[in-house]
Amino acid sequence: LAEQPKDEARWTVGIITDLSAKRAAWGLQIRVGAELAVEDLRAKGRKLRVIIEDSALDPARAATAAQKLLAVDHVDALYTEFTPVSVAVSPISRKAERLLLYDAGAYSVLDSNPYSFKTYNDFVLGCKEVGRLWQRRGVRKPGVLKAEAEFGELCWRGAKEVFPDLLVQSYRYGEDAGAQLLLLKKAGIDAVFNITYEADL
């Protein structure tokens, strides 16, 4: 960084988000937010360079983007979104010993990468608190429509702290879960835990 010309940014951050697949609306908001942050810092006399890569919510594509950002663009830090992308990028960040700030529900990144910092909801605590609220409101037989991803496991873990005998139906996020939901309904479930992306919900 000491060798950079004075007119160049002192710090470079690589952002990996979805700009072209199902979560593109989210990723486009992140792009606008990053641009506004750069402008705000520039107005205060600070320089930051941001390079944005499209993950298309594909872990393999995200991993390739992270390698490019670190090896070619020489970013100082990475920012990722969504559990599958963050989990894929984490080992690359760890090997490069670069900061990874991630916006996802996953705990595994924190547990395995000392260079990682998490920002997002705590799904274990959140689903546990929803379960307590349902208990107070008289729900007796809840079920879980559980995405086959770490965030689905986390919600299930929190929910079963309140309701140990939950009926669980698993599905692959992004796919139709109508059959699983009908099975829950047939079993007389009176409330359903489901952590997933907004479009799937």
Side-chain angles (χ1 to χ4, degrees), residues 17-187:
T17 190
D18 180 7
L19 297 173
S20 62
K22 282 185 168 185
R23 314 297 169 245
W26 181 292
L28 294 173
Q29 292 175 48
I30 295 303
R31 172 186 275 171
V32 170
E35 291 168 356
L36 291 172
V38 168
E39 287 178 19
D40 186 48
L41 288 169
R42 185 176 296 128
K44 296 175 181 175
R46 298 181 183 144
K47 294 183 179 180
L48 173 71
R49 188 172 132 208
V50 173
I51 301 170
I52 301 176
E53 294 288 335
D54 182 11
S55 71
L57 207 61
D58 175 27
R61 186 168 171 173
T64 300
Q67 290 167 343
K68 180 249 183 200
L69 287 165
L70 291 165
V72 176
D73 299 312
H74 305 288
V75 298
D76 301 295
L78 294 169
Y79 172 85
T80 59
E81 297 180 309
F82 309 111
T83 292
V85 168
S86 300
V87 169
V89 169
S90 180
I92 298 164
S93 156
R94 180 180 178 162
K95 184 177 179 184
E97 299 180 346
R98 297 289 173 83
L99 171 71
L100 171 63
L101 176 63
Y102 73 101
D103 187 17
Y107 288 157
S108 60
V109 175
L110 278 180
D111 294 338
S112 64
N113 183 350
Y115 302 98
S116 66
F117 294 87
K118 177 185 184 311
T119 173
Y120 202 64
N121 298 328
D122 182 329
F123 288 141
V124 174
L125 179 61
C127 289
K128 182 178 179 179
E129 291 303 315
V130 167
R132 287 179 175 160
L133 174 67
W134 286 354
Q135 238 179 9
R136 290 192 301 271
R137 292 185 177 177
V139 171
R140 295 288 170 248
K141 193 175 179 184
V144 178
L145 188 58
K146 182 170 73 67
E148 293 176 356
E150 186 175 345
F151 55 81
E153 293 290 327
L154 295 171
C155 178
W156 176 58
R157 186 188 315 163
K160 72 180 182 177
E161 286 185 37
V162 181
F163 297 104
D165 299 320
L166 285 166
L167 179 62
V168 178
Q169 288 292 324
S170 296
Y171 72 100
R172 294 183 65 175
Y173 66 88
E175 294 183 358
D176 186 344
Q180 292 88 336
L181 194 56
L182 285 173
L183 288 170
L184 290 173
K185 184 176 179 181
K186 185 177 179 183

